[in-house]
């Protein structure tokens, strides 16, 4: 974890608190601190500094500031460390539920994405993979497994199958950018996907990969993506740390 131990960091941020709003001041402050953490203004390891000075600068009572901070401690975004102070732990990645790349979403959110390629090989398609990609069982598919990190901490384990020969999937390139960005670069236009999201507990191996404890909550996603000709171009099965990651989507009422 990066440790930017700078106790004056919050003093460099602007907080717009509306004292005439029915929304409690502690909640307004907590929301703005959370926004600063999510968008990288307060990175992992940053210290919030002295509560009394922080409260005085904002014209708030110390209990109000303490309540705001405690709400983020409860969410796992901050931690109180003896002899150090209140410190940013990490931000939870909130990903829109749309056809987008995790790499692009992390980059847009200022999460400093990085990738470790754990497997990169051509192998025969299993019945499940062949059915998803519309290929003959046993035909060649490119299989890649990657660990995706944000601010140096594991967020997701990604397993993807791509029809063999569709594009060059060099390891160096996979570690420097996202799979969908690589597809777009060679003229593949992503159009739609079939996707399911679920949850389960982490196995021992998954926990070790994701720096979690065995049995920790994981989000899972299974997706088949199609280009604008209707061709299946990718089948992925992904797992995400529930403590670091959430799907976010909007619901509309049918007319």
């Amino acid at each position: 974890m990066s440790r930017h131990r700078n106790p004056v960091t919050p003093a460099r941020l602007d907080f717009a608190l509306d004292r005439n709003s029915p929304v409690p001041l502690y909640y307004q402050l907590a929301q703005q601190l959370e926004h600063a953490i999510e968008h990288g203004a307060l990175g992992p390891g940053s210290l919030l500094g002295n509560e009394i000075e922080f409260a005085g600068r904002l014209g708030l009572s110390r209990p109000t500031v303490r309540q705001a901070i405690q709400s983020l401690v409860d969410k796992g975004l901050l931690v109180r460390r003896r002899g150090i102070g209140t410190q940013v732990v990490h931000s939870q990645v909130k990903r829109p539920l749309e056809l987008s790349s995790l790499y692009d979403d992390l980059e847009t959110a200022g999460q400093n994405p990085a990738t470790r390629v754990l497997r990169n090989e051509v192998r025969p398609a299993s019945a499940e993979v062949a059915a998803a990609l519309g290929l003959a069982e046993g035909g060649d598919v490119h299989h890649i497994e990657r660990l995706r990190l944000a601010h140096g901490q594991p967020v997701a384990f990604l397993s993807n199958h791509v029809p063999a020969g569709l594009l060059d999937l060099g390891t160096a390139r996979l570690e420097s950018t996202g799979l969908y960005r690589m597809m777009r670069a060679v003229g593949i236009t992503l159009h739609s996907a079939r996707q399911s999201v679920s949850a389960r507990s982490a196995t021992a191996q998954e926990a070790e990969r994701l720096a979690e404890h065995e049995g920790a909550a994981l989000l899972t996603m299974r997706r088949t993506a199609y280009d604008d000709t209707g061709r299946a171009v990718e089948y992925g099965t992904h797992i995400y740390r529930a403590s670091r990651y959430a799907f976010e989507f909007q619901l509309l009422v049918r007319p």
Side-chain angles (χ1 to χ4, degrees):
M1 177 184 294
S2 172
R3 297 187 180 275
H4 306 112
R5 295 192 174 180
N6 185 350
V8 299
T9 300
R12 298 173 182 170
L13 301 176
D14 292 322
F15 296 95
L17 303 176
D18 184 356
R19 286 167 169 77
N20 296 317
S21 170
V23 178
L25 288 171
Y26 89 87
Y27 186 79
Q28 292 184 48
L29 178 58
Q31 289 291 96
Q32 292 180 47
L33 281 170
E34 183 172 354
H35 183 272
I37 293 169
E38 287 183 349
H39 291 81
L42 285 173
S46 296
L47 290 174
L48 292 193
N50 186 292
E51 265 183 24
I52 298 176
E53 293 177 359
F54 195 20
R57 187 178 73 83
L58 296 175
L60 299 173
S61 68
R62 189 178 179 186
T64 296
V65 170
R66 185 183 297 116
Q67 189 174 5
I69 290 173
Q70 185 60 48
S71 69
L72 299 187
V73 170
D74 293 342
K75 285 186 173 183
L77 301 180
L78 300 176
V79 64
R80 288 189 170 101
R81 301 190 188 280
R82 186 180 300 275
I84 296 177
T86 303
Q87 190 172 31
V88 177
V89 182
H90 56 68
S91 60
Q92 186 183 54
V93 179
K94 294 182 179 178
R95 185 179 185 183
L97 199 59
E98 59 187 32
L99 185 52
S100 61
S101 162
L102 174 59
Y103 189 96
D104 290 344
D105 291 336
L106 291 173
E107 189 172 69
T108 300
Q111 294 282 330
N112 298 328
T115 305
R116 295 177 192 160
V117 175
L118 307 180
R119 183 189 300 269
N120 187 358
E121 63 183 10
V122 175
R123 60 186 296 180
S126 66
E128 176 187 338
V129 171
L133 293 176
L135 304 173
E137 184 176 350
D140 285 347
V141 291
H142 211 125
H143 181 212
I144 55 176
E145 292 182 348
R146 295 164 294 162
L147 190 65
R148 183 63 42 79
L149 304 97
H151 292 304
Q153 297 297 307
V155 174
F157 173 73
L158 316 174
S159 176
N160 298 84
H161 291 84
V162 176
L166 185 67
L167 73 162
D168 181 11
L169 292 172
T171 295
R173 182 69 173 147
L174 285 166
E175 290 188 337
S176 66
T177 190
L179 176 60
Y180 285 1
R181 191 177 293 183
M182 291 173 67
M183 288 185 176
R184 291 193 296 269
V186 297
I188 297 171
T189 302
L190 296 166
H191 179 265
S192 62
R194 294 178 62 87
Q195 177 171 288
S196 62
V197 177
S198 187
R200 60 176 173 78
S201 299
T203 65
Q205 183 184 49
E206 290 167 344
E208 183 178 1
R209 280 175 173 164
L210 295 172
E212 283 284 4
H213 60 272
E214 186 175 354
L218 299 177
L219 290 171
T220 69
M221 184 181 75
R222 190 178 301 271
R223 171 192 281 181
T224 304
Y226 303 87
D227 67 8
D228 56 355
T229 70
R231 173 183 56 169
V233 294
E234 175 250 350
Y235 173 61
T237 55
H238 303 169
I239 57 174
Y240 306 86
R241 298 172 66 180
S243 62
R244 297 291 312 275
Y245 189 91
F247 287 107
E248 190 172 70
F249 50 94
Q250 182 178 21
L251 301 178
L252 300 175
V253 176
R254 288 183 181 274

